[in-house]
Amino acid sequence: MLKNKLDVNRRQFLASSALIAAGSVIPEISFAKEDILPTKSAKVVIVGGGYGGVSAARQLRKLNPDLSITIIDKNPFFVSCPMSNLYLGDFYEFGNLCFPYQPLKAKYNIDFINSKVLDVDLDKKVVITQNERISYDFLILSPGISYDVDQSQKDFFIKYPPAFKPGGEHLYLKRLLESFNGGDIVISVPSYPYRCPPAPYERAALILNYITKRKLKAHLYFIDANERPIINSEGFMKAYYKLYKGYADYITGVTVKEIDTTKNVVKTTNGDFRFDLANIIPPMKASRIIEKIGLLEKGQKWVEVDTFTFETKVPNVFVIGDSARSFLPKSGFGANMQGKIVANLITERITGKKLKQEELLMVLCYSMVSDKEAIMSETSFKIDKTKNVITPIHREDNTRRESTVKRYHEWAKGLWREMFG
């Protein structure tokens, strides 16, 4: 039987959550601005080829045919985290999540360097990789997240990957699922903010769907540090109770304290849970490269950026995506929007021409709750720069629908077409 220890009003909880807490008055931050640069001589370097990085590059090329644009990523191809739960749930091919970077050069004259970034010299405006030093005029940092875990637990997270970073972690977690023949599963959700608010709840539903379809003798302990699902709580809770009753306990307001890797026990603030399969999703923070560069203040997990431009206190250096503290949620769609905003701003500084800025930004989130049904939400952010105010408007469709599944697939394919053509 699914258990919910606290009855928190969904609207009160969502309204007070960090997802839309940036609404209302935004404190002004003063950031330096650089002089206009000639179009043909400007160089833009983008660290990170995820949703933010590729979207920024594509928008820059659209607006600036002659601009030098380079993406640097340690992975040879893009792997989408959005939709990856469908791969884990066994009804989406992993290859459909993957796109090579190299065609960006042939199609759009966007250079790609497959290398790990070791450091950035902010004074000399140079990115240092394993093989070379790349100079820039504008730097966009979109390197994603790091797991905020104790190094003593490192081996556990290799054996049981969180799968909130794209690529190999998902492949290995899927392998663990395929070899699972029954027993106890423990999934945990950290306190918000973390990457993709609905993702852990979607994953729990799809793993439950996976074990029920195979009629495995299994039980899932879903340990949530939050009081209810961060988003679409009504839809997720109804799905858990209606579709998977008896297969799981949903335990809220509980955090993971320690993992005993010898006894396969997760120790929490509400007792110990033994597991045969675990997916502990740890707290998250900005990518380590951001910290190494020196853009992360002591004691902070996320980089402070200008609310509207995502510029750091270093002129013409931007942080977008999950590493930035932003009113937009940490999601692929959010990073996509940020990439375009920064590309527009860089274009203005290069050309000296003012572009029309969006006054309404919208972020969509879709979540599968079974192999045939999905729920969704959308949050619009109305931006008033004259008053320094952002007003969030949130709407949810918590009715499980097959038609929403179709929209989910079309949404993802639309983003991928926009990014890779």
Side-chain angles (χ1 to χ4, degrees):
M1 180 75 176
L2 288 157
K3 300 174 182 176
N4 182 29
K5 295 186 180 296
L6 294 175
D7 185 16
V8 180
N9 180 278
R10 179 184 64 82
R11 293 183 186 275
Q12 289 176 345
F13 180 64
L14 184 62
S16 64
S17 76
L19 176 62
I20 60 172
S24 188
V25 179
I26 305 297
E28 265 196 85
I29 308 172
S30 179
F31 292 85
K33 302 292 186 281
E34 286 285 271
D35 294 332
I36 295 170
L37 295 168
T39 304
K40 292 185 179 180
S41 66
K43 296 180 181 179
V44 180
V45 173
I46 302 169
V47 176
Y51 278 90
V54 175
S55 297
R58 285 296 314 276
Q59 182 73 356
L60 280 165
R61 177 56 72 228
K62 179 180 177 182
L63 298 172
N64 306 275
D66 301 318
L67 189 64
S68 170
I69 306 169
T70 302
I71 297 175
I72 308 172
D73 199 288
K74 63 183 179 181
N75 298 310
F77 53 86
F78 168 94
V79 181
S80 176
C81 270
M83 302 289 282
S84 61
N85 281 335
L86 280 63
Y87 162 69
L88 294 174
D90 207 29
F91 43 90
Y92 205 77
E93 293 293 331
F94 185 77
N96 292 338
L97 303 171
C98 305
F99 296 86
Y101 291 114
Q102 295 299 346
L104 290 175
K105 174 66 175 177
K107 290 182 179 180
Y108 310 109
N109 195 27
I110 295 170
D111 293 317
F112 173 69
I113 297 175
N114 182 203
S115 185
K116 183 177 181 180
V117 173
L118 303 179
D119 205 347
V120 176
D121 188 326
L122 295 171
D123 293 327
K124 294 182 179 179
K125 297 186 176 182
V126 172
V127 176
I128 303 162
T129 74
Q130 291 169 311
N131 305 311
E132 57 188 311
R133 298 166 66 90
I134 303 117
S135 62
Y136 65 84
D137 296 300
F138 296 92
L139 177 63
I140 302 174
L141 297 163
S142 186
I145 51 99
S146 290
Y147 299 135
D148 190 12
V149 297
D150 192 303
Q151 286 301 303
S152 64
Q153 301 292 320
K154 186 178 179 181
D155 288 345
F156 171 83
F157 288 106
I158 292 173
K159 186 176 180 181
Y160 296 102
F164 265 67
K165 293 181 182 179
E169 290 189 11
H170 291 87
L171 290 167
Y172 190 58
L173 181 57
K174 177 65 176 293
R175 180 178 166 187
L176 293 176
L177 272 170
E178 289 174 337
S179 62
F180 178 70
N181 294 315
D184 293 325
I185 304 174
V186 175
I187 297 178
S188 75
V189 187
S191 297
Y192 191 80
Y194 54 83
R195 171 173 270 180
C196 193
Y201 307 101
E202 178 187 54
R203 183 174 295 178
L206 295 185
I207 287 178
L208 285 167
N209 182 80
Y210 185 93
I211 64 177
T212 54
K213 290 289 183 183
R214 285 157 181 75
K215 298 181 180 178
L216 298 176
K217 291 182 178 180
H219 196 84
L220 187 148
Y221 295 94
F222 191 17
I223 301 166
D224 193 347
N226 307 286
E227 305 298 351
R228 285 176 77 81
I230 285 291
I231 195 169
N232 284 110
S233 59
E234 181 184 330
F236 281 117
M237 294 303 295
K238 284 183 176 179
Y240 296 156
Y241 277 104
K242 291 271 189 180
L243 303 176
Y244 310 116
K245 185 176 181 180
Y247 280 90
D249 289 339
Y250 178 43
I251 304 157
T252 62
V254 175
T255 57
V256 173
K257 296 192 302 181
E258 186 183 343
I259 304 163
D260 188 329
T261 54
T262 58
K263 296 181 180 178
N264 277 15
V265 171
V266 176
K267 298 182 179 181
T268 76
T269 53
N270 190 37
D272 298 347
F273 297 85
R274 190 199 149 275
F275 64 85
D276 298 289
L277 175 64
N279 183 219
I280 306 302
I281 302 167
M284 301 175 194
K285 62 181 181 179
S287 172
R288 288 186 181 88
I289 189 62
I290 297 282
E291 190 172 6
K292 185 172 183 180
I293 292 169
L295 292 176
L296 201 62
E297 300 293 332
K298 187 176 180 180
Q300 291 185 332
K301 287 190 173 186
W302 315 105
V303 182
E304 296 291 343
V305 295
D306 181 280
T307 302
F308 300 109
T309 67
F310 304 97
E311 187 171 20
T312 68
K313 292 184 179 181
V314 180
N316 291 330
V317 175
F318 305 85
V319 175
I320 62 174
D322 298 337
S323 281
R325 187 185 300 279
S326 169
F327 63 91
L328 290 166
K330 297 185 183 301
S331 67
F333 205 168
N336 170 272
M337 301 289 294
Q338 292 170 30
K340 292 175 183 176
I341 291 169
V342 170
N344 290 347
L345 179 65
I346 290 174
T347 300
E348 288 184 352
R349 292 190 185 174
I350 290 172
T351 63
K353 297 177 182 178
K354 200 74 176 172
L355 297 177
K356 183 180 179 182
Q357 300 293 340
E358 294 288 341
E359 296 180 355
L360 187 69
L361 301 178
M362 186 173 69
V363 177
L364 295 172
C365 290
Y366 292 90
S367 300
M368 297 282 288
V369 291
S370 71
D371 54 348
K372 295 180 180 179
E373 298 173 320
I375 54 180
M376 63 83 65
S377 68
E378 64 178 34
T379 307
S380 299
F381 298 91
K382 189 175 182 180
I383 299 173
D384 188 338
K385 290 186 179 180
T386 59
K387 296 180 180 178
N388 212 32
V389 170
I390 295 173
T391 305
I393 305 165
H394 187 72
R395 185 185 73 84
E396 296 183 353
D397 182 357
N398 285 303
T399 302
R400 301 191 303 277
R401 306 177 195 272
E402 291 188 20
S403 58
T404 305
V405 176
K406 184 178 179 181
R407 291 172 62 192
Y408 190 2
H409 285 265
E410 290 173 349
W411 166 83
K413 289 176 181 178
L415 274 178
W416 298 336
R417 279 195 302 270
E418 179 187 281
M419 291 165 64
F420 294 98

